[in-house]
């Protein structure tokens, strides 16, 4: 009869306020899987200040189970980590225990297993049998334990401790000289009992578990399943077998590659191995679990039958490969579905977040060079979504948005939002739709940030999350396709968990961009451009004196019109449409309509605005879209602190190929060359920033040196050198802290 813990007692040890969102969800899943109620989960969750009435019950309905469900073991482990210890009458998993659910780790459908014949060797060569076994399992310098002497108890022949002081190389050398008589090497054995051998190397001092020098193999043996079926199951399970031996009795002995670093890991791996075998119809003798266990020696006779090698090195090549294969078979991925079943009942597409550009729940990347105002463009987008307005040239859905600020200090970020609101001329009617998460100096790699982000955003009903910029959270080599694919998968995780769009920005690669396609301009691996559902790319357009003069004229006309609207009634009766296209005509007419004080005020406004025009830059937005047709390039002026779509068409004919850098590389090189003291100061500052960023999330205010190295993109050796150079840190067994 299966035992279990009282999970309601265990969750008393777990504070919901300390959990990440996914951990909180896992508790709920485990409770439901174990037969508890949504009310149990809800009552426990009330201890968290983030608790929302009804949230547990709504979430509970979405737990439909899976092939790999979250089980009670999750709560048990979390309770252990928070100080709970099982009492004597509590249940702990032992060697015969079952892990996972009935569906986990199942590879073989029992009703379809066909036995596989075991063929006895035609040419019996005992020396070759034993030599091959030794060469397969041991290095020549390793001690081998084996037993040929027995004693009898109740009609059974039992092995003695045997020998353990001879190396594999020595045994093979003597076998090659024995003229086929292996008894000259290993000693005489009782042919009614056979002989045994230990499959793990020993230290030459004994045959106990403590004498095992390498936890390399484990024994899988079953004597309750017929031999041919054992053979079939072992092979279908793709067990990483070094040697498969017929015992001369009712079982096969599979010497399985475990490759554990110590006894603790060995035990865990054997437990997993035996559980997989049991769930696939191969009931294993758990008394064989010990690493010093004896197995049947090939090359001898047992009660008239040969003990022989059936195969060597079959199945998966290693333990890691095999376990990854087993885990992969029982994943939580959806099954393929037939198009014919969906043809007349197609699912609804996600509604647009940005019309004709991006759907809700999808991903978008904005790429561009420095000084393109990418952050301002993202803030404009936040405001457009919050207020349900247009962003650049596209209408946005209205809803809540989170802006993850990784670059600006808090005050600058908040002021920037207000400045952009005012520049756009929008009334701030929906400020509650915008949340800002300020993480400057506290950013961490995206794989660690994603779960923390999900936790904070889980119950906020955001329709978009904007991350600015991503270079602050990139994990791995920016130019590595596989590492950047894993990095981009974190955005998928956020989209899937929260059901919202994720929008982020990245910088261009070095060099001219005009001749490149929009997909090829972003820095680093091409994965950046190919992963998102929408890519918007900003490229600068080179302006000339005529363009600036034209823009100045239009801006001055706009300023005068706006001022007349505020100060003069029915001014349109005195100014023609043609006049409105000429700043000179507008100034002349306005001077007549205004008082001297008003004219002075307008002149001051014009002076300021003309000065601002001189600092405007021109940009073109191109797009690569997965869900919508490609749009015509959108031309913009970056009129600090906002982008304005060029409606006049004056930017349309500019070829970005003509863009020339304003300084040569030599000038930039000489300008940016740093002294050794400046470089040392930068190293110290970057080390301080990286440490503070990681230590923020650890209660003991320490950082693992490996994490610190990964965060800074350098080796551990380099980190150690920089810690020494800094002088303000201590390091102890891989942990780094401040003095």
């Amino acid at each position: 009869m299966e035992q279990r813990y009282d999970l309601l007692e265990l969750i008393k040890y777990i504070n919901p306020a300390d959990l990440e969102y996914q951990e909180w969800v896992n508790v709920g899943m485990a409770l439901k899987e174990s037969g508890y109620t949504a009310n149990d989960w809800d009552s426990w969750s009330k201890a968290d200040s983030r608790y929302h009435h009804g949230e547990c019950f709504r979430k509970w309905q979405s737990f439909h189970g899976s092939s790999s469900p979250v089980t009670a073991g999750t709560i048990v482990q979390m309770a252990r980590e928070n100080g709970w210890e099982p009492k004597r009458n509590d249940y702990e998993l032992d060697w015969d225990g079952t892990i996972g659910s009935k569906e986990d780790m199942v590879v073989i459908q029992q009703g379809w297993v066909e036995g596989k014949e075991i063929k006895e060797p035609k040419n019996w060569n005992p020396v070759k049998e034993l030599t091959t076994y030794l060469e397969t399992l041991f290095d020549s310098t390793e001690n081998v334990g084996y037993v040929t002497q027995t004693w009898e108890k109740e009609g059974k022949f039992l092995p003695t401790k045997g020998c353990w002081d001879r190396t594999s190389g020595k045994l093979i050398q003597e076998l090659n000289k024995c003229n086929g008589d292996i008894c000259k090497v290993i000693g005489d054995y009782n042919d009614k009992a056979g002989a045994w051998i230990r499959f793990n190397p020993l230290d030459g001092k004994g045959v106990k578990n403590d004498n095992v020098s390498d936890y390399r193999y484990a024994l899988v043996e079953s004597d309750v399943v017929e031999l041919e079926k054992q053979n079939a199951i072992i092979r279908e399970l793709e067990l990483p077998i070094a040697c498969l031996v017929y015992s001369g009795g009712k079982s096969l002995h599979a010497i399985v590659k475990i490759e554990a670093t110590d006894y603790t890991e060995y035990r865990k791996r054997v437990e997993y191995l035996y559980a997989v075998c049991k769930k696939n119809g191969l009931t294993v003798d758990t008394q064989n679990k010990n690493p010093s266990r004896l197995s049947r020696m090939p090359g001898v006779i047992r009660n008239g039958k040969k003990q022989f090698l059936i195969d060597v090195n079959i199945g998966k090549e290693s333990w890691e490969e095999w376990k990854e294969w087993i885990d992969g078979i029982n994943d939580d991925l959806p099954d393929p579905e037939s198009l014919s079943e969906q043809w007349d009942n197609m699912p609804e597409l996600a509604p647009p977040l940005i019309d004709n550009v991006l759907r809700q729940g999808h991903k978008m990347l904005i790429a561009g060079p420095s000084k393109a105002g990418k952050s301002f463009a993202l803030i404009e987008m936040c405001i457009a979504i919050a207020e349900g307005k247009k962003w650049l040239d596209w209408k946005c859905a209205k809803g809540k948005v989170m802006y993850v600020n990784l670059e600006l200090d808090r005050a600058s970020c908040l002021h920037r939002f207000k400045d952009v609101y005012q520049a756009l001329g929008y009334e701030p009617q929906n400020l509650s739709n915008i949340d800002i998460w300020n993480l400057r100096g506290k950013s961490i790699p995206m794989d660690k940030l994603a779960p923390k982000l999900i936790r904070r955003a889980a119950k906020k009903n955001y329709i978009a999350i904007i991350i600015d910029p991503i270079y602050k959270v990139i994990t791995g080599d920016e130019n590595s396709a596989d590492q950047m694919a894993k990095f981009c998968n974190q955005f998928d995780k956020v989209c899937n968990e929260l059901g919202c769009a994720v929008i982020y920005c990245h910088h261009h690669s070095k060099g001219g961009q005009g001749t490149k396609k929009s997909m090829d301009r972003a820095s680093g691996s091409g994965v950046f451009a190919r992963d998102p559902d929408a890519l918007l790319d900003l490229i600068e357009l080179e302006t000339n004196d005529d363009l600036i003069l034209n823009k100045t004229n239009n801006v001055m006309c706009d300023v005068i019109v706006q001022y007349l609207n505020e100060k003069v009634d029915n001014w349109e009766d005195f100014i023609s449409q043609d006049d409105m296209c000429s700043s000179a005509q507008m100034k002349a007419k306005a001077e007549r309509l205004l008082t001297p004080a008003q004219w002075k005020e307008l002149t001051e406004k014009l002076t300021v605005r003309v000065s601002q025009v001189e600092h405007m830059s021109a940009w073109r937005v191109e797009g690569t879209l997965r869900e919508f047709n490609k749009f015509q390039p959108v031309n913009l002026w970056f009129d600090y602190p906002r982008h304005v779509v060029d409606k006049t068409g004056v930017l349309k004919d500019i070829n970005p190929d003509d863009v020339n850098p304003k300084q040569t590389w030599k000038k930039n090189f000489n300008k940016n060359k740093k002294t050794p003291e400046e470089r040392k100061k930068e190293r110290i500052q970057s080390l301080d920033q990286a440490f503070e960023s990681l230590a923020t999330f650890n209660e003991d205010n320490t950082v693992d040196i490996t994490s610190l190295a990964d965060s800074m993109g350098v080796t551990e050796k380099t980190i150690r050198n920089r810690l020494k150079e800094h002088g303000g840190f201590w390091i102890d067994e891989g942990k780094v802290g401040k003095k």
Side-chain angles (χ1 to χ4, degrees), residues 466-678:
I466 296 173
I467 302 173
D468 180 26
I470 62 168
Y471 80 83
K472 289 279 190 176
V473 291
I474 282 180
T475 52
D477 180 1
E478 187 180 287
N479 295 295
S480 168
D482 62 331
Q483 292 182 35
M484 289 306 98
K486 293 177 182 177
F487 169 72
C488 291
N489 284 342
Q490 301 302 317
F491 299 127
D492 289 314
K493 184 182 296 184
V494 175
C495 289
N496 293 336
E497 290 285 344
L498 301 176
C500 67
V502 175
I503 299 156
Y504 45 98
C505 74
H506 192 43
H507 56 85
H508 275 172
S509 58
K510 295 179 180 179
Q513 305 295 334
T515 59
K516 298 180 183 178
K517 294 182 179 180
S518 59
M519 287 189 68
D520 298 324
R521 294 174 187 152
S523 176
S525 166
V527 170
F528 279 126
R530 290 158 180 81
D531 179 74
D533 301 289
L535 165 65
L536 299 190
D537 188 84
L538 283 161
I539 188 167
E540 189 169 9
L541 304 176
E542 186 75 8
T543 58
N544 53 41
D545 292 342
D546 291 337
L547 274 175
I548 297 300
L549 187 63
N550 178 276
K551 185 62 178 175
T552 302
N553 177 77
N554 293 338
V555 166
M556 291 178 68
C557 290
D558 291 340
V559 172
I560 295 170
V561 167
Q562 183 179 353
Y563 192 83
L564 291 175
N565 281 332
E566 296 173 358
K567 304 295 183 180
V568 181
D569 295 331
N570 303 318
W571 62 269
E572 296 97 333
D573 296 340
F574 305 98
I575 299 178
S576 67
Q577 292 291 326
D578 290 339
D579 291 337
M580 293 184 197
C581 296
S582 167
S583 59
Q585 290 293 330
M586 287 294 289
K587 287 174 66 177
K589 295 290 181 73
E591 187 175 10
R592 297 190 190 101
L593 294 172
L594 298 172
T595 66
Q598 290 172 331
W599 171 246
K600 181 181 179 182
E601 183 181 26
L602 175 59
T603 302
E604 291 173 352
K605 287 180 177 287
L606 288 172
T607 301
V608 172
R609 197 69 183 96
V610 169
S611 175
Q612 292 172 341
V613 172
E614 294 174 356
H615 296 90
M616 283 186 188
S617 53
W619 300 86
R620 178 166 295 158
V621 180
E622 297 176 344
T624 304
L625 310 179
R626 184 169 289 141
E627 291 281 318
F628 299 96
N629 290 329
K630 185 178 179 67
F631 58 78
Q632 289 296 316
V634 177
N635 298 308
L636 311 167
W637 290 97
F638 182 39
D639 184 6
Y640 183 90
R642 62 170 183 160
H643 293 82
V644 180
V645 176
D646 172 42
K647 298 294 186 181
T648 66
V650 296
L651 301 178
K652 182 175 65 175
D653 296 327
I654 297 180
N655 185 355
D657 294 351
D658 296 335
V659 176
N660 293 315
K662 295 180 180 179
Q663 292 181 314
T664 65
W665 70 270
K666 289 183 179 179
K667 289 181 180 178
N668 278 328
F669 177 81
N670 291 328
K671 180 180 178 181
N672 296 328
K673 191 172 181 180
K674 297 182 176 71
T675 66
E677 290 75 18
E678 289 173 330

Side-chain angles (χ1 to χ4, degrees), residues 38 63 90 108 153 185 225 234 240 242 279 287 323 397 501 556:
F63 300 157
D90 278 333
I108 301 169
K153 180 181 179 182
V185 180
V225 179
I234 284 170
K279 289 195 173 188
Q287 294 188 33
K323 187 174 186 301
M556 291 178 68

Side-chain angles (χ1 to χ4, degrees), residues 346-388:
M346 286 289 181
E348 291 186 12
L349 292 169
L353 176 70
I354 303 173
D355 279 1
N356 300 314
V357 175
L358 183 69
R359 294 191 184 279
Q360 295 184 32
H362 288 197
K363 299 175 293 182
M364 182 165 77
L365 166 65
I366 297 178
S370 59
K371 308 306 179 186
K374 297 187 293 296
S375 292
F376 287 101
L378 290 175
I379 290 174
E380 293 165 27
M381 184 191 298
C382 285
I383 294 171
I385 294 171
E387 302 291 346

Side-chain angles (χ1 to χ4, degrees), residues 18-28 44 74 78 81:
D18 294 336
L19 301 185
E20 301 284 353
Y21 172 73
Q22 188 58 52
E23 293 172 329
W24 171 75
V25 170
N26 287 346
V27 170
W44 168 77
T74 296
M78 293 169 75
E81 292 172 353

